[in-house]
């Protein structure tokens, strides 16, 4: 491996053909859209600088390519290794921040967003308020989660908000990773009525490792990092006229809360599961309210990505 690259980045820039990068950028044709031109120009510049600064050798480049190709071969509708690679480098969290740049930690702001991750599924079962999403699991962590979905600005309840929820079983596996769980276990969609309220039963989640038997795992190991995520529950909230949010809530007492392998924890999304008495179906209670912004209000509180178009992109993705 080359040893002196990053330290001597500036010096390295002068060691190699100083006209090469611009020549590659100049190959872009006149019909490229402004956005394609902007993004590819920047990508080429950063990739070339990265290679020069670190004096990347052919062998190192080939090893990186092999990891990417292996990630492609491993990916299917149950596994997204490319996304995992992005996640361990914090890229999904960064793009999430850029897209939903809201002053999310202030009390009177919409609920903060967090990454989608690779385990969301289309068409989770529609449930009635008060239903459980747990099937066939004995647990002492049965949780009653409830709250209200409001308009962050007016404080009024949001009717017709769909709360799509998913989390892992106590073995740390999502149902599509685990042949022993029923189809669509620990997933559900709940639609609010006029009062904006929701409630359902789930489990207090557990920390779990992201899949580490592929390229992402190899990189974590090479970087001397662990693969664990703190205990969390995922949500997507959509409502007519409101900007959709993709988010997660995190158990304050969970291991790895300070050290998420995919860098998704935000202070405002940390919650307390409270021991619960008086409900034969629950061991813990989790009150949590969600605050949504209309497209118009989201635009005012944002520097990027809160147009109706970007909301539509989220809705299309989800
Ligand atoms: C998840 O929370 O489901 C997840 C996020 C990023 C990578 C792997 C899993
Ligand atoms: Fe998760």
């Amino acid at each position: 491996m080359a040893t002196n690259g990053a330290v001597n980045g500036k010096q390295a820039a002068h060691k190699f053909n100083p006209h090469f990068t611009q020549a590659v950028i100049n190959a872009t044709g006149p019909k490229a859209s402004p956005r394609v031109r902007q993004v590819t120009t920047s990508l080429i510049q950063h990739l070339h600088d990265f290679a020069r600064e670190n004096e990347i050798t052919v062998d190192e480049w080939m090893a990186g390519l092999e990891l990417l190709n292996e990630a492609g071969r491993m990916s299917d509708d149950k596994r997204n290794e490319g996304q995992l690679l992005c996640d361990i480098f914090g890229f999904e969290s960064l793009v999430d921040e850029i897209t939903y740049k809201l002053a999310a930690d202030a009390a009177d702001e919409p609920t903060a967003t967090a990454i989608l991750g690779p385990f969301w599924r289309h068409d989770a079962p529609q449930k009635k308020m008060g239903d459980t999403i747990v099937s066939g699991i004995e647990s002492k962590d049965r949780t009653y989660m409830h709250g209200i979905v409001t308009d962050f600005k007016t404080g009024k309840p949001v009717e017709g908000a769909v709360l799509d929820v998913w989390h892992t079983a106590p073995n740390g596996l999502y149902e599509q990773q685990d042949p022993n769980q029923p189809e669509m276990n620990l997933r559900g969609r709940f639609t609010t009525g006029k009062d904006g309220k929701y409630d359902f039963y789930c489990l207090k989640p557990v920390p779990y490792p992201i899949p580490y038997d592929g390229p992402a795992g190899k990189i974590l190991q090479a970087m001397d990092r662990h693969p664990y995520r703190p205990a969390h529950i995922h949500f997507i909230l959509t409502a007519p006229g409101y900007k959709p949010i993709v988010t997660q809530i995190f158990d304050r007492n969970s291991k790895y809360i300070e050290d998420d392998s995919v860098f998704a924890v935000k202070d405002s999304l940390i919650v307390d599961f409270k021991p619960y008495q008086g409900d034969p179906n629950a061991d813990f209670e989790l009150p949590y309210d969600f605050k949504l912004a209309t497209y118009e209000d989201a635009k005012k509180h944002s520097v990027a990505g809160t147009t109706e178009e970007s909301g539509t992109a989220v809705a299309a993705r989800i």
Side-chain angles (χ1 to χ4, degrees):
M1 172 181 298
T3 51
N4 61 350
V7 186
N8 298 328
K10 285 214 175 86
Q11 185 192 326
H14 297 292
K15 241 164 123 173
F16 306 106
N17 177 352
H19 308 296
F20 182 64
T21 298
Q22 196 55 49
V24 175
I25 289 169
N26 290 348
T28 310
K31 292 191 197 127
S33 73
R35 182 63 174 161
V36 166
R37 184 179 302 279
Q38 178 190 345
V39 171
T40 55
T41 297
S42 173
L43 181 66
I44 293 163
Q45 188 71 57
H46 284 282
L47 271 177
H48 287 207
D49 285 345
F50 166 76
R52 278 187 291 259
E53 285 175 20
N54 296 287
E55 299 191 354
I56 299 294
T57 65
V58 170
D59 283 351
E60 287 169 335
W61 167 66
M62 294 284 273
L65 273 189
E66 184 42 41
L67 273 179
L68 288 181
N69 290 339
E70 193 185 338
R73 285 192 295 271
M74 281 187 91
S75 295
D76 55 26
D77 60 349
K78 295 207 162 159
R79 175 145 187 172
N80 189 336
E81 191 69 19
Q83 190 170 1
L84 281 186
L85 281 175
C86 290
D87 287 340
I88 63 167
F89 290 124
F91 199 72
E92 188 178 356
S93 276
L94 177 62
V95 171
D96 169 68
E97 186 196 356
I98 293 167
T99 307
Y100 302 99
K101 186 89 185 115
L102 301 168
D105 288 337
D108 61 345
E109 295 294 342
T111 302
T113 57
I115 64 175
L116 178 67
F119 294 114
W120 176 78
R121 285 186 70 183
H122 280 276
D123 302 327
Q126 305 266 10
K127 303 253 180 184
K128 287 207 221 59
M129 287 304 172
D131 277 355
T132 182
I133 61 169
V134 188
S135 175
I137 296 174
E138 291 290 317
S139 168
K140 292 199 165 61
D141 285 334
R142 298 166 308 161
T143 296
Y144 177 57
M145 181 166 180
H146 61 96
I148 181 165
V149 183
T150 57
D151 179 308
F152 93 98
K153 202 160 167 212
T154 64
K156 289 194 176 139
V158 176
E159 182 179 3
V162 177
L163 184 142
D164 189 340
V165 53
W166 69 105
H167 69 76
T168 68
N171 64 4
L173 294 173
Y174 288 95
E175 49 82 28
Q176 72 265 55
Q177 298 175 286
D178 183 359
N180 296 320
Q181 286 184 57
E183 176 79 358
M184 293 287 182
N185 191 30
L186 298 167
R187 297 176 187 275
R189 282 185 290 167
F190 298 85
T191 306
T192 59
K194 273 199 166 50
D195 61 3
K197 288 187 179 163
Y198 76 86
D199 67 322
F200 62 87
Y201 291 89
C202 60
L203 298 176
K204 187 154 83 69
V206 294
Y208 67 83
I210 65 170
Y212 57 92
D213 55 343
K218 283 185 191 155
I219 289 177
L220 286 175
Q221 199 176 18
M223 292 176 74
D224 188 22
R225 281 174 48 188
H226 70 76
Y228 284 87
R229 299 215 59 210
H232 61 275
I233 304 178
H234 294 264
F235 299 92
I236 295 172
L237 278 102
T238 49
Y242 287 86
K243 186 170 161 45
I245 59 167
V246 177
T247 194
Q248 305 177 25
I249 53 173
F250 299 90
D251 179 358
R252 185 183 310 282
N253 296 319
S254 172
K255 205 170 171 194
Y256 307 109
I257 193 80
E258 304 278 359
D259 192 17
D260 182 359
S261 61
V262 297
F263 309 97
V265 179
K266 293 178 180 169
D267 286 350
S268 66
L269 297 173
I270 295 177
V271 299
D272 295 290
F273 288 76
K274 303 174 182 173
Y276 197 35
Q277 263 116 40
D279 182 340
N281 298 314
D283 310 294
F284 290 90
E285 180 192 19
L286 178 58
Y288 192 79
D289 296 338
F290 292 93
K291 296 178 192 170
L292 301 183
T294 59
Y295 282 103
E296 203 183 325
D297 288 337
K299 245 183 261 172
K300 286 184 211 149
H301 283 76
S302 166
V303 294
T306 49
T307 60
E308 187 127 11
E309 195 188 330
S310 78
T312 312
V314 173
R317 193 169 58 127
I318 57 184

